Amino acid sequence: MYVPRIAVVGGGVSGLVLGKELASRGLHATVFDTGEHACGGRASSREAADNGRRFSFDHSTQYMTCTEGSRFESMAKEWAKEGLLAEWPADRVGTLKDGSFTPFDDGVVRYIGAGGLRPLADFLAEGSTEVVRPQWVGAMTPVGGEGPKRRWELASGPRGKPLGTFDFVAISHNGKCALRLAETAKLQDGSPAAAKTRASLQCAFGARPTEELKKQRKLILSSVWALMFAVDKPLNVKDNMEGAHIVGSEVVSWASNITAKRRHGKVRTDTDGGDTQCWVVHSTPQFARDNKCPQEAIPKSVADSVIAAMTREFERCAGLEPGSVKPVFTKVQLWGAANPLTAAGVPAVFDSETRTGACGDWCQGPPSVEAAAESALALADAIEATFSPTTARDPAAAGRLDAAKVRWAPCSGDAAALGAFPGTNVPSMGEIAAAPRREGGGGRGGRGGADNASVAAAGGAEAGVEPV
Ligand SMILES: Cc1cc2nc3c(=O)[nH]c(=O)nc-3n(C[C@H](O)[C@H](O)[C@H](O)COP(=O)(O)OP(=O)(O)OC[C@H]3O[C@@H](n4cnc5c(N)ncnc54)[C@H](O)[C@@H]3O)c2cc1C
């Protein structure tokens, strides 16, 4: 019996959940991901080695929350039962303002990755039929007609390595990479072969006030710098604070003692031991925008000034003496496409005619592990209903999702960009300051002209938004 082959392009939470779900429903799911060492995307951990020492950081996702009664809640409970998640005690995480820590007191369960987030990504990856990594997918070419006759040939690039033929392509990443991939989907006469999916992937960068976001008809992505450092002498932070959303700073938005946090997972994986502490500090989207550079090749001068500014501001916000952070290891990473500020307003994108779709946190928002997983589940339902209509759990899912119309709207103001995850209530951190428009898409270091041209054509050059 022929088993339909589904290509899932992107192995973050959405791609991994989609691959696992499809495989569990009898379909052949191949997940492609660029991860060198593991999958996970924006829910992964960064391992580092320096002078014979090793350190591990949760440099993006800090904790997960669940909407009560959601499918994600059941999933998270399963992951916790498997020992992949642990609960973060409420008195250890909260908000930090001018050196004063206020623990959350909202009764919300906050899950952390036990031993970091890599074990969760590895567990999810095992559920797919196959995972191909590290593998960039750079081209998708239609073969056959529309609907049931449509097949897709994937390749690493327009004239790159062939990666196989599939009955459906699910794009489970966003931003300029996703848009570029969808743009390679062309019929022989050069017309778009996945127009609906491609239209949903238009995007631009920004760190905008809510009122401006309301005018956008596309995905607007913020950026975030992650500062990772290790100290050999524990920092003198007050009140057992292990993680906090930072309120009232223009530079930093989050700080977390990874060593203390991971202790709740009962396995020490952050360092080799002793008094060493690993910390992660996140910037605000505005600071990231003001200090933008090519994320694959961060100039040393930019890294040095970002490290200095974020360290100084973290010390101030945490009520530490200036200069008291004396790291034995420091690293920065720029999450160029960190968090969606706008969401498409559909559970996932699905086109039965072209046999393409897309899922991720940007579909419903707010940017979160829950949003990514729920979007994947919605797309899994529609794909299953298409290929196994008689046995599908939700036979109407394909028609429903096919008919859903994308309507972009702000996720939930600036709070979403700064970590207002489902089920939690982070106090308003004030509007992000309106930054002047930059001609030519320039942040520090600039970006390629081809990128700017392609998105400008798609409407990315409107006032107040930087093209990708
Ligand atoms: C700094 C930061 C902190 C966050 N903190 C939290 C938090 O505490 N709690 C929370 O719930 N959420 C948090 N989030 C949000 C959460 O991480 C995301 O919403 C979620 O992980 C998104 O998953 P995804 O699958 O939609 O996308 P991604 O994780 O972005 O996955 C996409 C994957 O596709 C791969 N890929 C891209 N292009 C290609 C290609 N052409 N070929 C193959 N593979 C490709 C990428 O490498 C990546 O692995 C945070 C995000 C950031 C950036």
Side-chain angles (χ1 to χ4, degrees):
M1 197 184 78
Y2 179 72
V3 178
R5 294 168 59 84
I6 318 299
V8 180
V9 187
V13 168
S14 66
L16 292 174
V17 167
L18 178 60
K20 190 171 186 304
E21 278 295 310
L22 294 174
S24 76
R25 302 179 197 197
L27 298 166
H28 186 286
T30 304
V31 176
F32 295 96
D33 189 60
T34 52
E36 288 273 333
H37 304 288
C39 291
R42 284 173 283 151
S44 52
S45 298
R46 174 111 181 214
E47 314 295 325
D50 189 50
N51 279 329
R53 300 182 65 179
R54 53 167 207 95
F55 308 98
S56 174
F57 302 90
D58 304 334
H59 59 331
S60 50
T61 295
Q62 298 298 315
Y63 63 81
M64 298 167 208
T65 50
C66 313
T67 300
E68 218 179 313
S70 64
R71 288 203 276 181
F72 178 68
E73 186 182 44
S74 318
M75 201 179 269
K77 283 183 177 164
E78 279 301 315
W79 298 344
K81 238 191 251 163
E82 294 281 342
L84 298 160
L85 301 183
E87 283 189 31
W88 202 353
D91 61 335
R92 306 299 166 97
V93 54
T95 54
L96 188 59
K97 191 167 186 224
D98 300 330
S100 166
F101 173 64
T102 311
F104 282 125
D105 150 30
D106 52 11
V108 169
V109 174
R110 289 178 176 78
Y111 288 113
I112 53 170
L117 288 155
R118 187 172 288 185
L120 174 62
D122 289 346
F123 167 82
L124 292 174
E126 278 166 24
S128 288
T129 318
E130 60 176 339
V131 173
V132 183
R133 169 187 77 68
Q135 183 61 61
W136 175 262
V137 179
M140 50 191 283
T141 308
V143 283
E146 291 215 327
K149 292 199 185 119
R150 173 62 58 88
R151 301 277 181 282
W152 287 98
E153 283 176 355
L154 296 193
S156 58
R159 275 171 296 282
K161 180 175 90 176
L163 299 171
T165 305
F166 298 89
D167 299 282
F168 191 100
V169 178
I171 298 179
S172 49
H173 60 283
N174 65 35
K176 65 180 175 183
C177 306
L179 179 60
R180 277 197 200 138
L181 175 60
E183 282 172 348
T184 65
K186 290 200 177 117
L187 298 171
Q188 272 178 348
D189 65 2
S191 58
K196 175 179 166 186
T197 299
R198 171 182 154 169
S200 71
L201 295 169
Q202 307 296 342
C203 58
F205 283 115
R208 311 300 306 157
T210 312
E211 279 313 308
E212 290 206 17
L213 290 175
K214 280 186 191 154
K215 296 177 204 151
Q216 301 303 324
R217 297 284 175 272
K218 64 172 94 62
L219 173 62
I220 307 297
L221 289 159
S222 68
S223 302
V224 171
W225 279 97
L227 166 67
M228 296 159 260
F229 67 82
V231 285
D232 273 344
K233 195 165 162 253
L235 297 184
N236 187 23
V237 289
K238 290 181 204 131
D239 307 323
N240 294 325
M241 183 204 98
E242 294 178 355
H245 298 271
I246 298 172
V247 182
S249 169
E250 290 184 359
V251 178
V252 293
S253 65
W254 168 265
S256 179
N257 177 345
I258 303 298
T259 303
K261 178 172 99 155
R262 288 210 193 160
R263 267 191 206 121
H264 304 294
K266 308 227 172 359
V267 263
R268 180 144 199 205
T269 50
D270 57 312
T271 70
D272 293 321
D275 281 342
T276 304
Q277 285 182 341
C278 291
W279 283 79
V280 166
V281 180
H282 286 152
S283 77
T284 59
Q286 187 63 55
F287 178 83
R289 181 187 169 119
D290 292 344
N291 292 275
K292 209 153 182 183
C293 65
Q295 66 187 59
E296 306 79 12
I298 299 171
K300 187 173 178 312
S301 56
V302 178
D304 287 348
S305 76
V306 164
I307 289 168
M310 288 180 66
T311 307
R312 257 195 326 269
E313 182 67 353
F314 163 67
E315 287 171 340
R316 186 189 71 77
C317 294
L320 297 168
E321 285 294 313
S324 57
V325 174
K326 296 189 178 9
V328 291
F329 174 84
T330 312
K331 185 113 203 140
V332 275
Q333 173 165 331
L334 175 62
W335 291 100
N339 285 312
L341 301 181
T342 51
V346 287
V349 175
F350 176 77
D351 185 6
S352 58
E353 278 306 292
T354 63
R355 304 274 156 146
T356 58
C359 63
D361 60 347
W362 54 277
C363 286
Q364 291 277 38
S368 58
V369 173
E370 173 174 280
E374 286 287 347
S375 178
L377 291 173
L379 188 52
D381 289 343
I383 294 173
E384 184 191 28
T386 304
F387 292 102
S388 314
T390 51
T391 53
R393 293 175 200 184
D394 181 0
R400 213 172 45 240
L401 208 51
D402 220 351
K405 294 257 177 303
V406 167
R407 285 199 179 82
W408 292 100
C411 278
S412 54
D414 59 317
L418 297 170
F421 309 118
T424 193
N425 183 21
V426 177
S428 169
M429 300 186 192
E431 281 283 343
I432 298 163
R437 181 184 171 197
R438 292 171 190 197
E439 294 303 329
R444 238 195 280 178
R447 278 178 290 280
D451 287 348
N452 292 349
S454 68
V455 179
E462 294 157 29
V465 175
E466 286 184 67
V468 288

